[in-house]
Amino acid sequence: MTKRPRKTKARRNRWSLSTRAVHAGEPRRKYADSLTTPIVQTSTFTFRDSRHIESYTKDKKEHFEYGRYGNPTAKIAEKRLADLEGAEDCVVFSSGMSAITTTILTLVKSGDHIVVTDDSYKKTLEFCQSYLKQFGIECTIVPFGDYSVLEKAIKKNTRFIFSESPTNPYLNIFDLVKLKKIARRHNVLTLIDSTFSTPFNQRPLEFGIDLVLHSATKYLGGHNDILAGAVLGKEKLIEKIRDLHKSMGGLIDPHCCYLLLRGLKTFPLRVERQNETALKIAGFLEGHPRVKKVYYPFLKSHRHYKVATEQMAGGGGVVTFEIKGNLNDAKRLLDSLKLCYIGPSLGGVETLITHPAMMSYYDYSRKQRYELGITDTLFRLAVGIEDVEDLIDDLEQALRK
């Protein structure tokens, strides 16, 4: 059996993850002796003289020229994220989807082929299946968890395998060791969207994955007030993505980077709390007579429980469940909630619940939704940092209705 990387303890002679989340990537002394990283709110950077220009052309990492090519506040955010994920380099984007689409376009050319799992985010699948066809790029969608089908789908012109782990909404867990073995046999890259796990619960690069992507809007920002994305990996790959990023223009603004850095300082505290809360709520729901099925990676009933507990430090802050009944019963549950907000996102301090059939997949027919496993009675609960007993009480009274 392949030995899996250790999960949560920092390497010797390094600060812990919680400490690095506060300090990593920024100089000890900052402008005007500020404690926090300043917001460098400018579109243009100036040069002192001709020698300064010449030094910039030799080493662009030591200076900035134009906002689309880089910003000091964004650079600190990139350094901190890279440190937390254990990556050589990172580039931040205006959203998670901007990070995904720019990365994909960097890695492929006309005539190439990619493999994507069917449990990936809806917009990711749409981009790969529809838009890439315009550029002569073929995409094969494979069932999540069927590794033999995955391997058979790889062709001579396959550039990479893309998946999420955990996935949305059923929280399926990719065996990253198996994935890397398959990719190595066929010399293809591996990309994992690790938004749901965060570097606190899982670091795919430690398993040999090539690129890790995040919607930093979620747990990394953590306060439901920014849109941001990030791609992390080896410097050589990230530099290629950064070059296209400069042309595509999906840049994150300095104030947003400041808020991302603020969120990163507390993300280990928040995720640890959300792990504990979600597990308790999952157990409560699994024992409730009005609940048909609960999906949570750290429940023994989850089909990927073993691999989840081997490669993750916690199950994350999302619990997906189905209730007994029909669409009207689902609506009554939503309408009865007093503490949980109804909303489509996750990872913030407020608890959100979404009904995928009515929200994310409202434009699909019922037949199309059911083929994807999106039933009329399916809910996704993204826990915040409220007291777990208050959340359970709210769910209990809503389920009674």
Side-chain angles (χ1 to χ4, degrees):
M1 180 177 176
T2 304
K3 187 177 180 182
R4 297 174 184 274
R6 295 177 68 186
K7 294 181 285 192
T8 56
K9 292 185 178 178
R11 298 187 188 100
R12 253 181 214 180
N13 302 321
R14 291 197 70 197
W15 289 334
S16 70
L17 185 76
S18 294
T19 302
R20 289 184 284 126
V22 177
H23 296 285
E26 62 184 20
R28 184 74 174 168
R29 307 307 304 178
K30 306 172 190 71
Y31 175 75
D33 295 319
S34 168
L35 177 62
T36 58
T37 296
I39 303 170
V40 183
Q41 191 67 52
T42 183
S43 63
T44 307
F45 300 85
T46 60
F47 295 90
R48 294 186 295 272
D49 50 36
S50 58
R51 279 199 285 185
H52 192 191
I53 298 172
E54 290 171 343
S55 69
Y56 167 71
T57 56
K58 291 177 183 177
D59 188 0
K60 295 191 177 186
K61 291 182 180 179
E62 295 302 315
H63 189 69
F64 298 90
E65 175 192 1
Y66 185 63
R68 185 156 44 82
Y69 303 151
N71 175 281
T73 313
K75 181 58 67 177
I76 298 297
E78 290 172 344
K79 286 182 178 179
R80 182 166 299 168
L81 285 168
D83 185 280
L84 296 174
E85 195 68 70
E88 289 183 7
D89 201 0
C90 168
V91 57
V92 289
F93 293 80
S94 56
S95 70
M97 277 309 301
S98 178
I100 289 170
T101 55
T102 305
T103 298
I104 290 173
L105 290 175
T106 301
L107 299 177
V108 294
K109 63 182 184 304
S110 181
D112 282 345
H113 171 256
I114 63 174
V115 177
V116 183
T117 61
D118 63 354
D119 215 1
S120 296
Y121 177 50
K122 175 187 173 184
K123 289 298 179 183
T124 302
L125 290 172
E126 286 180 4
F127 178 78
C128 292
Q129 288 180 292
S130 301
Y131 295 103
L132 290 184
K133 285 184 179 179
Q134 301 175 39
F135 306 102
I137 299 158
E138 185 187 0
C139 174
T140 299
I141 309 297
V142 298
F144 187 96
D146 194 328
Y147 297 97
S148 62
V149 172
L150 170 66
E151 187 158 16
K152 288 176 183 175
I154 298 172
K155 304 178 180 181
K156 288 183 178 180
N157 60 335
T158 301
R159 289 289 292 122
F160 63 77
I161 302 167
F162 182 101
S163 185
E164 299 175 18
S165 188
T167 65
N168 177 28
Y170 285 105
L171 308 172
N172 291 315
I173 309 298
F174 222 127
D175 188 322
L176 300 179
V177 173
K178 280 186 180 178
L179 173 61
K180 188 56 188 177
K181 281 183 178 179
I182 292 170
R184 190 178 289 121
R185 280 196 292 270
H186 298 275
N187 194 31
V188 297
L189 295 172
T190 49
L191 282 64
I192 288 291
D193 183 334
S194 197
T195 297
F196 274 49
S197 62
T198 81
F200 185 88
N201 284 331
Q202 176 179 270
R203 290 181 289 279
L205 297 177
E206 293 180 0
F207 294 81
I209 300 303
D210 295 296
L211 289 170
V212 173
L213 302 96
H214 287 282
S215 171
T217 306
K218 313 302 192 299
Y219 292 100
L220 301 179
H223 292 79
N224 290 319
D225 55 6
I226 66 168
L227 289 174
V231 183
L232 306 98
K234 290 190 180 298
E235 186 177 13
K236 189 175 179 180
L237 271 176
I238 296 299
E239 274 306 309
K240 290 180 180 179
I241 297 166
R242 195 189 305 279
D243 285 344
L244 183 58
H245 180 223
K246 291 175 182 178
S247 298
M248 298 283 284
L251 70 151
I252 182 172
D253 71 87
H255 184 253
C256 191
C257 285
Y258 176 85
L259 293 176
L260 174 57
L261 284 165
R262 178 209 60 180
L264 286 172
K265 291 181 179 182
T266 60
F267 110 85
L269 296 171
R270 290 184 283 100
V271 173
E272 186 172 28
R273 173 70 171 262
Q274 287 163 318
N275 283 344
E276 295 171 357
T277 298
L279 183 58
K280 289 179 181 177
I281 289 176
F284 157 74
L285 291 171
E286 194 168 48
H288 199 284
R290 290 304 307 273
V291 175
K292 180 180 177 182
K293 178 72 175 174
V294 180
Y295 303 88
Y296 188 71
F298 270 40
L299 282 182
K300 289 183 179 179
S301 57
H302 195 280
R303 65 174 180 152
H304 298 139
Y305 170 78
K306 186 176 184 295
V307 69
T309 53
E310 284 178 349
Q311 69 184 31
M312 296 179 69
V318 173
V319 181
T320 299
F321 64 99
E322 286 184 87
I323 63 169
K324 296 173 183 176
N326 54 35
L327 182 58
N328 287 330
D329 293 309
K331 291 177 180 178
R332 278 196 292 274
L333 186 146
L334 287 175
D335 296 342
S336 301
L337 291 168
K338 302 181 186 303
L339 178 58
C340 305
Y341 283 97
I342 303 170
S345 194
L346 59 131
V349 295
E350 299 91 356
T351 294
L352 297 172
I353 190 168
T354 184
H355 184 265
M358 285 195 294
M359 297 177 73
S360 301
Y361 293 85
Y362 71 92
D363 54 344
Y364 282 47
S365 69
R366 192 169 186 270
K367 182 181 178 183
Q368 287 174 320
R369 285 192 290 102
Y370 269 69
E371 287 174 351
L372 297 172
I374 307 299
T375 67
D376 289 341
T377 54
L378 183 73
F379 294 90
R380 190 192 71 191
L381 182 75
V383 304
I385 61 170
E386 303 95 337
D387 187 276
V388 65
E389 294 303 325
D390 292 334
L391 293 171
I392 287 175
D393 287 346
D394 192 33
L395 290 165
E396 171 63 39
Q397 64 84 23
L399 284 163
R400 283 201 307 268
K401 304 286 176 68

